[in-house]
Amino acid sequence: MTESIRTGSRRQQLLNMSFFCVLTACYFTCTFLSSPVLILYFIGVIATIGLLSYANKKAQERIDSLTIFLVTLTAGLLLVFANYVGYVRNGVPFLYPDQMHFYEQAQILASQSSILSCVLYASQNYIEYNFIYGLNGVLGYIDKLVSGGVHFLPLLFSVAYLTALIPVFFYHTLKLYVPNKTALIGSLYFGLATPIMAYSGFLLRDIHLSLLFSIVLFWVVRGISTPRILGILLMFPIVAGLRLANVFLLMALLVIYIFSGKTSKAIRFLCIVAIVAGGLFYASKISTTLLSTQSRLEHYEDRTVASVNSTEGVGKKIYSLPPVIKETAIALNGLISFPFWGKISSNLDAQEIVMNAYNTITNIGWFFIFTGLLYFIKPLTSLLRAKKNRLLLYLFILSLLYVTSNVSNMTTRRIMYVYPFMMLPFMIVYQRQSKEKRKKHVTFTISLILLLTLAYAFLLFLI
């Protein structure tokens, strides 16, 4: 048994070395193709490897953390390349025009005289999104110092790097509840086969938010301590600078953290005061932001409605349903990301096919988690009802409430921040099931996929 474990560890170390060599080749190749600033990014990767090695005292946890980080980063860079090739060929990315906006803002901020000036410019000149503008601006400024210009590719690399940290934090959350091997497999699945990875190759802010909430979850599942409470409080201005509305999700997590565990009345009282004051402050700030951008929001909403009405897909059918039923259907469809394959066109380039294919894989990957929550509903209910698992229950309920609150603008990008809250109890229940029950879950999920596809075809072509 011991020899088998040692052999497995050696193989995993060889795997880590192989992926590190691939990453080294990627960074140095792109240094010549794009910007020498990627050498600094590569040094950052090496520093992260060193930090993970130092922070994990147990050998197996150290190896697992490195495996998750290296594998996920490699996968993220593949999507980065696909996105970048499309940008070079067409002058704009294939998906998400927001990317060009963030790139243009990075160029504006990078023209400042110093890193401090970039930060000050972002904080003083933007009503919202100032943190993401400032971060991209600082990265662009460093790129400009090194290479003389602000390049698109290094900014994409920064997003892939942040993506690779998300499943690492999830691993260290999950291993508190399941064996290390299960935590490794579950974290790799979470990092590679759910929509988190699908957004790793794009210059958007959703990965940044996903990472922040993964870090907060990493703290919340542990014992209450003043440093962790302070850490969550320090997250508030950062989250506000990424997407202001998500501050209230962070507040809910802080409340759950404080009141689900053992802590002094003084700390609870101080936190209640801080939460109420913060809630009033951010509510006022959100109101001001909404008023200042009302015309843009109305235009966005009109464009969304027009886009839905111009198609004959499932979205139009859902939006035509009666109230309450419509909102329920929107939330449910948002969770399952159906149709999984998105928009299919015959004139897609090779890199566009890669991005669409991977997006389809991650949507189906998450669907297996979602159906597992339904298929294992009895053991899941037993788990969440147990007094010792109150924290998991509160997190699960919060995730459902958060999804429901996004029905007016339901996209996977908006709701994937709470996916770890759902996957955590699923993994605990799943690892307790027999092989036979797991196989039945796979059969159930595949059958449901076929059924949904047939129903979609019926609605699309026969009605």
Side-chain angles (χ1 to χ4, degrees), residues 88-110:
V88 171
R89 284 185 176 179
N90 306 314
V92 292
F94 167 54
L95 293 170
Y96 312 116
D98 315 33
Q99 294 182 85
M100 291 312 299
H101 170 73
F102 287 120
Y103 182 39
E104 290 164 0
Q105 296 304 313
Q107 292 173 310
I108 292 172
L109 269 78

Side-chain angles (χ1 to χ4, degrees), residues 220 251-261 390-391 394-395 398:
V220 166
M251 284 183 179
L253 285 170
L254 180 57
V255 169
I256 288 173
Y257 180 53
I258 293 169
F259 289 93
S260 65
R390 277 303 154 77
L391 176 64
Y394 297 151
L395 290 173
L398 176 62

Side-chain angles (χ1 to χ4, degrees), residues 25-45:
C26 287
Y27 275 92
F28 278 88
T29 300
C30 291
T31 293
F32 295 104
L33 294 176
S34 177
S35 168
V37 77
L38 286 170
I39 292 294
L40 295 180
Y41 281 45
F42 182 65
I43 293 173
V45 170

